Every structure is written in C-alpha cells, then in structure tokens.
Amino acid sequence: MKNIITLAIVFYFTFPVNSQDVEPLKYNNPGLVVDLGVGLWAWPVPADVDGDGDLDLLVSCPDKPHNGVWFFENKTGLTSENKMPVFEPAKKLSSTVHYVMPSYTSQGMRVLSPGKEYTSFLTQGTAEAQTLPIPAKWYKHQGPATNGPKVRHNQWRYSDYNGDGVLDLVCGIEDWSYYGWDDAWDKNGQWTNGKLHGFVFVFINEGSTAEPVYPDVPIQVQAEGKPLDTYGCPSPNFEDFDGDGDLDLLCGEFVDGFTYFQNVGSRTRPVYARGISLKTADGGPLEMELQMIVPVAIDWDSDGDVDLVVGDEDGRVALIENTGLLEKHIPVFKSPVYFQQQADTLKSGALATPVGFDWDGDGDYDIVSGNTAGFIEVFENLSGAGVESPRWAAPFRLEAGGEVFRVLAGKNGSIQGPAEAKWGYTTLSIADWDHDGLHDILVNGIWGRIELLRNIGTRQSPKFATPARISVAWKDKPLKPRWMWWTPEQDELVSQWRTTPVAVDWDQDGLTDLVMLDHEGYLSWFRRVRQDGELSLLGPERVFYSLNNSVTNSGHGVIDKGPGVLRLNNREAGGSGRRKIWLTDWNGDGKQDLLVNSTNANLLLQRKTESGKWIFEDVGPLVERNIRGHTTSPTVVDFNGDGTPDYLGGAEDGRMYYVRQ
C-alpha cells in the first residue's frame, strides 16, 4: 500500500524521481574566486600532474557525496613565482579510499594507502593498485575501551628512515582504544576516559627499494626515550627541516596543531627530542581553522626549505609557508593561507545546513548556511526573483556582536569528548522572533543550546546583536538530555545537539513558536504565548503523531513502522539529535508538512488534525539519489518564483543539492 501512495503523490505533484535531476547548485558567476574545496576531508597530493613544469594539486576526498581523487589544475604558472595560484575547477580522476598519502622520494612521487600503492596515481588516481607485503590492519589497538572505533587514521608513507639508501615503510597510527569515543564526562566536565593517541612506526626495509623485505614487527619511533605520541592523526613527515643533513619529524594531529620532533642524533642513527608545538612567525600557535588535518611536506615555492600543504576537515587545502628561519633549531612557519579556485559549485564547509530566505529584502531567495566549523555563511542571490539558476556571490561569514559568529565545542562541549574541540555543527532557522518586523536567527549546535541572534539592523541590511539564550517558562527545572554533564540556567532552552530549531507560527495565532526535537528526541511544539503583556515560550508538547514510521534514528532508519507519537531519534548520547528538519506546505493543501533528513529528505505529509494532535504520514524520500554521507539538511526555495516549494538539501560535502518540484 505504501508504494501505491508514494507513486500517487509523485504523479500528482510531477516531482522528479530521476536521480540525475538532483544536482549541486552552481555559482554561474564566471571570474568569481572562492576557497578551493572538495567534500568532507581533504588529503592533498601536490604534484605536476599535467607535466607542464608547475605544481598542480590533487586532493583525495573519501566522503559519500563527493568521493574521488580531484584534479585542480594550476594555469597560473610556477609556484616559485606565484605561491598562491588560483586553480581551475576540479576534475575527477577516480573514486578513492581513506588515507591516501604521497611520498616524495629520489625515485619520484609514490602514493600509498594502507596496504596499497597506486602506480598510476597522476593519471588514474586509485584505479590501479599494487598490494603491499604488509597487511593494512597490522596494528592491534592497545587500550581497554570497548565502545567506538579502535583505530582510525592509518597513514602510510615511504622514507629512508635510517639513511641506508633504501626506502622504509612508515605508518602513522591513530589509536582510539583509550579514548572510547562517547559519553564519558563526570559532573565537573572532566573526560574520564583516556586520551587520543597518535603513534609512528617504521618497517625497516631489509631488502631493496625495488624488492623490499619487511620484518614482521616494526620499530616504534621514540621521542625523548619514550614512544612518540601525538593527539591522534600523526601524518608523519620525515624531512630535514633544520638543514643539518638528517631527517626531523613533523606531525599533525586530530585537532588542529603541529608537533615538531628534532633529530638530535644523526642521519643513520636518528634520535628524536621531545615534541614541540609549532608557532607562527608572530609567536602565535600554528594551527588550522578546523581539525582532522593532514600535512604534506614539500618545497612548494622552490626556495630550498620545506613548506606544508595541509588538508582541513571541511575539504579546503592551505599553504603553510616555511620562512626559512630557525628558532632554537625549530623551523618557523607563516600562518595558513587557504588556496583558491575558480568558482564552480556552492559550498559551505562540510555538513552544510542551508536555509532559503530573502536575506536582504530584494525579493529573491538567498541562502544562509551553518556547517561543521560552527560558522554561519550567507550566499547572496545576484540574479533577482524568477531565475531558475541564479548567479551567486561568494559567501561571507555572519557577524554577531561585532565579531564573526562561531559555535565551538571547546574542550568539553561535545558529548563525544575533547577530540571534537573545534567543531560547532550549526543549524538554524530565520524568522521574526521578537516581532519587531526584522528577521532574526535561531541557532543550535554541538552544545544543544538554542540561541537567538537578534537583528538590530534593517530589513535590507541586517546586523546582529551578541548571541542571547532562548528562555523557556519551565514548570519546574529546565529539561535537558540526561547524558549532558552540565546544568542549564534556570530558564535556558537546551535540547538535542545538531538539530534544527524551526521558528514557525505553528498554531497560526500570530506568534512565532518553535518546533524541534525535545530532550528525548520527540518532535515537539514549544508554544509561544503572551503572559502579562510579555512574550513567553512554553515547554515542549508532544503533539505530533505519525500513521507510520513513528520512531526513527538519526539517519531516518525506521525503528517502529507503526503509528504513534513522532520520535525522530530514539538514540542517546553521541547517537542522539543529528536531525535536520524543515516545515513547509509541500503539496499546497494549506497544511504544514515535514521534511526530515534521510538519503536526501523524507516527506511527512500532514494528513489531519484531531484532538489536539497533528498527524503525518511518511511517504518516503523525495527523490532517488542518495546524497547522504553522515547526514543531509533539507530546506525549501522558490528560485523561479512559481509559488511551489522546491527542495534544497545540504550534504556532507558542504554543497547544496537542488531539484525543482
């Protein structure tokens, strides 16, 4: 019966089901320059791909919607003359796998992933692979944790570690088995599990470079006489950074920084000093904007010292230039500068959470989007109303209280622990919350705190005050997810993390309400009322029901197919929240329907209202194409001005996928 209903709806609304119809929005703005980016995770491979003498950029991206090895061509010329070329839009060479890393050897560049070498990487990406004699999963985790991953970043490279003229096999290992991943805070906000570890091992080649012979057990690289240990994701780079003829070691980490281990031994007998966190030329910490960073050491500008080309979590790639100076034998670098490209498709970091809204009051739909980094970015529609494929401006970051707005977990703001310190996961909606005629922003993020960015500017030129918490007239104490270690303020609204707070006049009484997940994952109505002449927000009411699929998880996997109160996520702790929703009259019948994240977005049609309950039916995904990695984030737009809502979905790769109804 469900299939019959779905087909009828598709026929009636003539909504496309061809997966090819769902495509990322293009800038349609020749000459526009934006940050270079792939999808979630960037693993850079700088190389002269086309043989024209200058350095291009290959970037491996293992995420779901944007998986591939991507070629960014440099047509600007030699990087010795122009350190920051503007690259051409990416071309896909092949699909890809996790942990692809280059090695720059005397035999030329060689590219590895765990257990594999790619012999034609410059032309075919990962399409041709040679199996290495060491199994990909040779490392056995050392810690006691039973939940979460045990080993993640498994990073392989070649290097002549001991100076005997033969390439050895280097493995950087990220061991999560002490950390444990999830829900380990005490009441004081202290992480009670262990730390995240990053180790470096070397399989000493006892044969030749052409015919390697590796031992069963590698050596573990030591620093100051103890096993070298970074905060995850070591990305080991053995290079002569201080110019003394031996190989030093520079590592990245899971969060955002770089650690340098000076070789105080010799070329043939390396001995590494204690790790030092690198600083910039002005004395500040050398760090990236996000985390899960992947540095690649290469003399990018051909000036004789070793620079870093670094991939960031949101798919961007930065140059960190070596100044050529040393401070107490430690190389000094400039701050990261992100590469740019000719604009192709709109991208807002990673895990984009777009909202279609007329931002500047000129009558067309602009796009406002959150992302993993915790920013909010605005894309201005330059074409005006009634244009199916608008021309877009480059995004700018929203300011609030006179500074760039950013939600950050910090050391103890993520339920999954301190390793997520630089993530924010902003989600938002836009409405006139204070009823002054101007559009405000309600925002949620990794903390689960719902905040108001109040517009103190104008309709055409919005300006936002310092973020303020959303207050609720709780009957007793504030409700919160039970796994949160911290206690909200007396009137503070705290709910599920990484979920959309939808500001909407649900009961059509002229007051802006809030519809979102409550502290236990039920879709709830936070009703707005006037009390003593003042606006007040009441606690959650579970008034939403479904005829089917009443209980789901964060990816819209069905837990209960039957009817019942609509619970959009029944999971707890790190598995909680993570639901992106939107309300719209999808079918033009005068009732608000519900879009929820799924492979693209599932449509829940509002069927009826009875006894104070709003009853929906899940009729399935809008379209066939799966654009989900971790998640999607639905909204609606009407670029062509025909009065019919069209689908716009933010995806893991940071792009916005559009299809017209």
Side-chain angles (χ1 to χ4, degrees):
M1 184 64 185
K2 178 182 175 183
N3 290 336
I4 295 173
I5 293 171
T6 302
L7 288 172
I9 289 168
V10 170
F11 175 78
Y12 181 76
F13 299 115
T14 63
F15 199 83
V17 295
N18 185 338
S19 65
Q20 297 303 311
D21 292 334
V22 187
E23 297 294 342
L25 284 182
K26 289 186 173 292
Y27 273 103
N28 299 316
N29 193 348
L32 181 68
V33 174
V34 295
D35 283 347
L36 178 148
V38 288
L40 180 70
W41 306 307
W43 292 72
V45 182
D48 182 6
V49 178
D50 51 10
D52 64 354
D54 57 40
L55 285 173
D56 310 296
L57 193 58
L58 292 168
V59 185
S60 176
C61 177
D63 79 332
K64 175 83 175 183
H66 213 74
N67 180 285
V69 175
W70 299 92
F71 170 41
F72 294 89
E73 185 180 359
N74 172 13
K75 289 187 176 181
T76 309
L78 298 175
T79 51
S80 59
E81 300 173 1
N82 180 10
K83 299 173 185 178
M84 298 300 297
V86 176
F87 292 91
E88 296 295 297
K91 298 177 181 177
K92 187 174 182 178
L93 284 188
S94 71
S95 61
T96 195
V97 297
H98 285 273
Y99 318 133
V100 171
M101 303 195 78
S103 306
Y104 301 97
T105 76
S106 58
Q107 293 81 33
M109 186 184 75
R110 300 175 69 174
V111 179
L112 307 180
S113 72
K116 301 287 186 181
E117 179 170 358
Y118 303 100
T119 54
S120 304
F121 190 80
L122 293 185
T123 56
Q124 299 186 59
T126 59
E128 280 190 5
Q130 175 182 325
T131 301
L132 300 179
I134 301 296
K137 297 181 179 181
W138 66 268
Y139 176 82
K140 306 300 181 186
H141 66 274
Q142 302 177 23
T146 57
N147 65 323
K150 304 300 185 293
V151 177
R152 293 184 75 187
H153 292 91
N154 186 2
Q155 303 169 302
W156 292 31
R157 284 183 154 147
Y158 288 130
S159 179
D160 181 5
Y161 173 78
N162 56 3
D164 63 356
V166 176
L167 291 179
D168 307 300
L169 180 62
V170 177
C171 297
I173 298 291
E174 183 178 87
D175 191 330
W176 284 77
S177 63
Y178 297 89
Y179 183 86
W181 186 258
D182 195 17
D183 193 17
W185 299 106
D186 67 16
K187 64 181 181 179
N188 298 313
Q190 300 298 312
W191 185 250
T192 60
N193 287 352
K195 71 181 290 281
L196 186 60
H197 294 278
F199 303 127
V200 179
F201 299 86
V202 182
F203 288 89
I204 300 294
N205 187 353
E206 298 169 353
S208 66
T209 296
E211 297 183 2
V213 177
Y214 301 117
D216 293 333
V217 180
I219 65 167
Q220 185 168 6
V221 178
Q222 308 279 305
E224 208 175 37
K226 299 178 292 186
L228 179 153
D229 194 2
T230 66
Y231 197 76
C233 200
S235 305
N237 290 270
F238 286 99
E239 297 286 346
D240 184 8
F241 287 96
D242 57 7
D244 63 356
D246 56 35
L247 297 186
D248 310 295
L249 175 59
L250 187 148
C251 291
E253 63 175 43
F254 189 83
V255 181
D256 63 0
F258 304 84
T259 306
Y260 177 70
F261 302 88
Q262 183 191 358
N263 185 352
V264 294
S266 67
R267 180 68 182 90
T268 57
R269 294 181 178 273
V271 177
Y272 292 97
R274 177 177 60 90
I276 302 292
S277 296
L278 289 177
K279 297 182 177 181
T280 62
D282 60 4
L286 181 63
E287 59 186 25
M288 299 288 284
E289 195 166 72
L290 260 167
Q291 54 180 77
M292 298 178 73
I293 62 172
V294 182
V296 174
I298 185 173
D299 185 2
W300 176 260
D301 53 10
S302 302
D303 64 352
D305 52 39
V306 185
D307 310 300
L308 303 174
V309 174
V310 188
D312 216 332
E313 183 260 359
D314 62 358
R316 293 179 298 159
V317 180
L319 172 65
I320 298 180
E321 184 184 349
N322 191 334
T323 65
L325 302 174
L326 297 172
E327 185 174 316
K328 297 180 179 179
H329 305 284
I330 301 169
V332 179
F333 293 88
K334 295 182 180 181
S335 296
V337 180
Y338 287 91
F339 288 117
Q340 294 194 307
Q341 66 167 88
Q342 297 289 338
D344 183 18
T345 53
L346 276 68
K347 177 173 166 61
S348 180
L351 277 69
T353 56
V355 171
F357 187 80
D358 182 5
W359 178 257
D360 49 9
D362 62 356
D364 58 33
Y365 272 83
D366 308 295
I367 296 172
V368 186
S369 181
N371 52 36
T372 58
F375 296 112
I376 295 174
E377 298 184 323
V378 181
F379 297 79
E380 183 186 356
N381 183 339
L382 301 175
S383 294
V387 178
E388 181 74 42
S389 299
R391 183 169 64 94
W392 297 95
F396 64 86
R397 287 175 175 170
L398 186 80
E399 293 187 356
E403 59 185 26
V404 173
F405 174 80
R406 188 178 188 186
V407 173
L408 275 180
K411 68 177 183 178
N412 54 13
S414 171
I415 190 61
Q416 296 182 158
E420 301 197 344
K422 295 214 60 182
W423 284 328
Y425 293 109
T426 38
T427 62
L428 68 141
S429 66
I430 305 172
D432 184 5
W433 184 255
D434 57 4
H435 294 269
D436 65 352
L438 302 176
H439 58 282
D440 311 299
I441 300 176
L442 272 69
V443 61
N444 188 15
I446 199 166
W447 283 88
R449 287 190 170 111
I450 314 303
E451 294 185 307
L452 171 67
L453 306 184
R454 182 171 173 266
N455 187 353
I456 55 175
T458 66
R459 179 68 184 89
Q460 289 73 33
S461 299
K463 181 180 178 181
F464 296 92
T466 301
R469 68 171 182 260
I470 296 292
S471 297
V472 177
W474 298 109
K475 293 180 180 180
D476 185 13
K477 61 181 180 180
L479 298 175
K480 68 165 189 174
R482 63 174 183 80
W483 52 84
M484 285 185 173
W485 66 265
W486 52 279
T487 301
E489 299 291 332
Q490 184 175 359
D491 62 346
E492 187 176 11
L493 175 54
V494 175
S495 186
Q496 303 278 332
W497 72 328
R498 304 167 62 173
T499 62
T500 314
V502 182
V504 60
D505 183 3
W506 181 255
D507 55 355
Q508 298 294 297
D509 66 350
L511 301 179
T512 305
D513 309 306
L514 187 59
V515 174
M516 61 178 294
L517 270 65
D518 69 11
H519 64 294
E520 293 178 330
Y522 291 90
L523 187 66
S524 297
W525 177 30
F526 294 76
R527 188 190 319 207
R528 204 84 171 281
V529 298
R530 288 194 181 274
Q531 296 180 335
D532 301 324
E534 299 290 329
L535 288 172
S536 183
L537 188 68
L538 305 182
E541 301 175 51
R542 296 172 180 175
V543 296
F544 303 109
Y545 287 71
S546 183
L547 297 172
N548 64 330
N549 301 342
S550 58
V551 182
T552 55
N553 61 23
S554 61
H556 208 66
V558 178
I559 308 300
D560 187 342
K561 296 181 178 180
V565 182
L566 191 55
R567 192 178 192 185
L568 290 180
N569 194 353
N570 70 330
R571 298 180 66 187
E572 299 187 345
S576 67
R578 301 173 182 260
R579 294 308 314 254
K580 316 300 191 302
I581 65 174
W582 201 251
L583 292 164
T584 185
D585 180 7
W586 185 260
N587 58 0
D589 64 355
K591 298 191 289 287
Q592 292 276 7
D593 307 304
L594 179 64
L595 296 176
V596 299
N597 64 288
S598 64
T599 55
N600 43 81
N602 268 50
L603 173 61
L604 278 64
L605 286 171
Q606 188 185 148
R607 294 303 193 191
K608 57 184 177 179
T609 304
E610 61 182 31
S611 303
K613 302 174 183 176
W614 284 267
I615 301 171
F616 295 80
E617 181 183 13
D618 187 347
V619 299
L622 290 178
V623 293
E624 293 177 346
R625 182 176 180 183
N626 185 352
I627 62 169
R628 177 178 64 198
H630 280 74
T631 187
T632 60
S633 184
T635 189
V636 296
V637 293
D638 184 16
F639 295 142
N640 60 8
D642 66 356
T644 301
D646 304 313
Y647 169 68
L648 185 69
E652 178 176 281
D653 62 2
R655 290 166 174 82
M656 294 85 164
Y657 289 78
Y658 168 75
V659 63
R660 181 164 59 89
Q661 183 178 183

